[in-house]
Amino acid sequence: MELPDTQSNLPEVRINLTRVGVKNVQKLVEVARPGKRPVIFISKFNVYVDLPSSLKGANLSRNFEVIDEVLQETTEGMVNGIEEVCNAVARKLLDHHEYADRTEVNMKSLYMVKRETPVSKTECDEVVEVHASAIADRNNGKPIVRRMIGAEVTGITACPCAQNIMKELASNKLRDLDVDEEKITAFLDAIPMASHNQRGKGYLMIETDDDQRVELDDIINVLKDSMSARIFELLKRGDESHVVFSAHKNARFVEDCVREMAKQVVQKFSYLPGDSIITIQQTNEESIHQHNAYAERKATIAELKAEIGNGD
C-alpha cells in the first residue's frame, strides 16, 4: 500500500517560507588527505531550503540523506577539505528538493590541531572552532553558490596602557636608585614591563564565490598571529617564559588585534576577488575588569586594501 505524501498537500495558509529544515544535526566529519591520516571534525549542521506556498511541508529526511552522501564523499577524497563540505551539501540539496530555489547550510565544528611548544618542542593538542556556510541559488538550473569559511581561535593579549604605567613607575624607581638614564633606557628596551592580560578570542570569516579556495590553516594562523602571543595547552618552564615574554613584548589593544588581522588578510588573501566579504571580530576577556573588550570590522577585501594602502 502506498503511503500518503502529506507534505505535498496544499497548506491552509498559503505563503512562501524563507527557511525550512533541520538544526543541530551532529556528525563526525572525516576528511581524507593523500598520504596522511584523515582529519576529523566533530560537527553540527543546520540545513535549510525555501518552501513555496503550494506545499504543506518539506521532505526533511532528504536533508539527512544529503549530509550522509557528502560525508561519505569526504572520506573517499572526493570533497577537497572541510572548506568544500557545505558547498557540496548546498548543491545536492537543490537536486533533492526540486521545488526549492534556495538552500543554505551552516556548520560549526571542533577541530583538534597538533601543536609544538616554542622552546621545549613538546607536542600538545589544541581545539579550534571552525565555522562554514554555503548558500546556493538555483538560478534557472545554473546554481550560484556563495560560501563562507572561518574559525575562532584563542590567544593571549597584554594591555599597552597598563604596561606604559608600569614602565613609568619602573623608570622612576630606577632613577631613585641612581641608575643613569642610558642604562634605564637599555633595560626597559630589553625587558617588557608587567601588564594585565586577557584571554583573547579572535574570529575571522571569509565569504567568497564557490570557485575560490581559502585554506582553513591560513585563517587559523592569521588569527593566532594577530594577538600578543600564541598559547599552548602544555608548557614547560622555558615555554612559559617564552610565551609571557613574547606577549608583553607585543602588547596590543583589542582594536590592534582587529587591525592586525585586516592587514594580514590583505597580505595572505590578496588573490581573492574584491567583493569577497571579510568579517573580523576580537573579544578580550579582561582580567582586572568585570567586562570584556570588543572590536569588529566587516568589509570587502577591496575596501580593506584601499584603506590599508592609504594608511601606508
Side-chain angles (χ1 to χ4, degrees):
M1 182 180 68
E2 186 175 345
L3 297 176
D5 185 6
T6 307
Q7 288 99 330
S8 62
N9 293 341
L10 285 173
E12 294 180 15
V13 180
R14 296 190 61 179
I15 63 168
N16 299 328
L17 298 181
T18 307
R19 294 198 300 179
V20 175
V22 293
K23 298 182 72 173
N24 291 326
V25 179
Q26 299 189 55
K27 293 288 183 178
L28 193 68
V29 181
E30 183 178 319
V31 180
R33 295 185 299 173
K36 298 181 181 179
R37 292 186 301 175
V39 181
I40 304 298
F41 297 82
I42 302 171
S43 305
K44 286 185 179 181
F45 289 87
N46 298 335
V47 182
Y48 311 104
V49 299
D50 65 333
L51 189 69
S53 61
S54 58
L55 293 179
K56 186 177 183 67
N59 189 335
L60 298 184
S61 64
R62 294 178 184 175
N63 295 355
F64 296 95
E65 293 168 2
V66 169
I67 293 173
D68 287 338
E69 281 182 28
V70 172
L71 296 188
Q72 181 60 38
E73 291 174 358
T74 66
T75 63
E76 296 170 358
M78 298 166 62
V79 175
N80 297 320
I82 195 70
E83 304 88 352
E84 307 285 346
V85 171
C86 289
N87 309 36
V89 173
R91 285 180 177 276
K92 281 184 179 288
L93 284 171
L94 289 176
D95 297 333
H96 286 250
H97 294 275
E98 63 283 351
Y99 50 81
D101 289 323
R102 183 181 184 275
T103 64
E104 180 178 345
V105 184
N106 302 320
M107 180 183 70
K108 183 185 289 186
S109 305
L110 295 180
Y111 174 32
M112 189 70 75
V113 183
K114 291 289 185 184
R115 294 295 185 212
E116 193 177 73
T117 59
V119 177
S120 68
K121 306 302 179 183
T122 302
E123 190 176 89
C124 58
D125 294 322
E126 176 184 359
V127 177
V128 173
E129 190 170 276
V130 177
H131 299 257
S133 299
I135 297 174
D137 289 297
R138 191 174 293 279
N139 189 37
N140 295 320
K142 298 178 180 178
I144 297 174
V145 181
R146 290 285 286 182
R147 66 178 182 179
M148 289 143 274
I149 181 70
E152 182 178 272
V153 168
T154 303
I156 182 175
T157 57
C159 176
C161 182
Q163 189 175 62
N164 283 333
I165 293 171
M166 296 303 296
K167 186 175 182 179
E168 186 63 27
L169 290 173
S171 297
N172 292 334
K173 184 63 177 177
L174 289 169
R175 290 188 191 100
D176 291 342
L177 295 172
D178 294 327
V179 178
D180 65 64
E181 290 296 329
E182 187 176 335
K183 289 183 178 179
I184 291 175
T185 300
F187 175 78
L188 294 177
D189 285 344
I191 303 296
M193 289 295 97
S195 182
H196 70 92
N197 305 128
Q198 303 94 3
R199 176 174 286 182
K201 292 183 180 293
Y203 172 87
L204 171 60
M205 177 72 82
I206 300 178
E207 177 184 337
T208 66
D209 293 328
D210 190 31
D211 59 351
Q212 297 296 322
R213 183 170 176 83
V214 176
E215 294 289 347
L216 177 60
D217 284 340
D218 287 342
I219 289 176
I220 292 172
N221 284 325
V222 165
L223 286 164
K224 286 181 166 296
D225 292 337
S226 297
M227 290 178 256
S228 293
R230 298 186 175 206
I231 62 173
F232 303 85
E233 183 63 22
L234 177 64
L235 293 172
K236 303 292 187 181
R237 289 183 181 179
D239 300 312
E240 187 170 347
S241 65
H242 177 89
V243 170
V244 172
F245 186 93
S246 299
H248 288 79
K249 196 71 174 173
N250 190 31
R252 282 179 175 164
F253 289 123
V254 67
E255 299 92 338
D256 295 325
C257 296
V258 168
R259 287 175 171 137
E260 180 63 25
M261 265 187 257
K263 175 185 169 184
Q264 291 196 32
V265 163
V266 167
Q267 293 171 344
K268 181 77 71 174
F269 304 106
S270 61
Y271 60 88
L272 292 176
D275 66 349
S276 302
I277 298 173
I278 312 298
T279 302
I280 303 167
Q281 299 169 352
Q282 178 76 21
T283 302
N284 285 353
E285 299 177 350
E286 296 281 11
S287 58
I288 64 170
H289 307 292
Q290 294 188 13
H291 60 262
N292 295 333
Y294 179 79
E296 176 182 327
R297 179 64 195 271
K298 185 173 184 178
T300 65
I301 196 165
E303 290 169 336
L304 292 178
K305 284 180 178 179
E307 290 182 41
I308 291 172
N310 290 339
D312 292 340

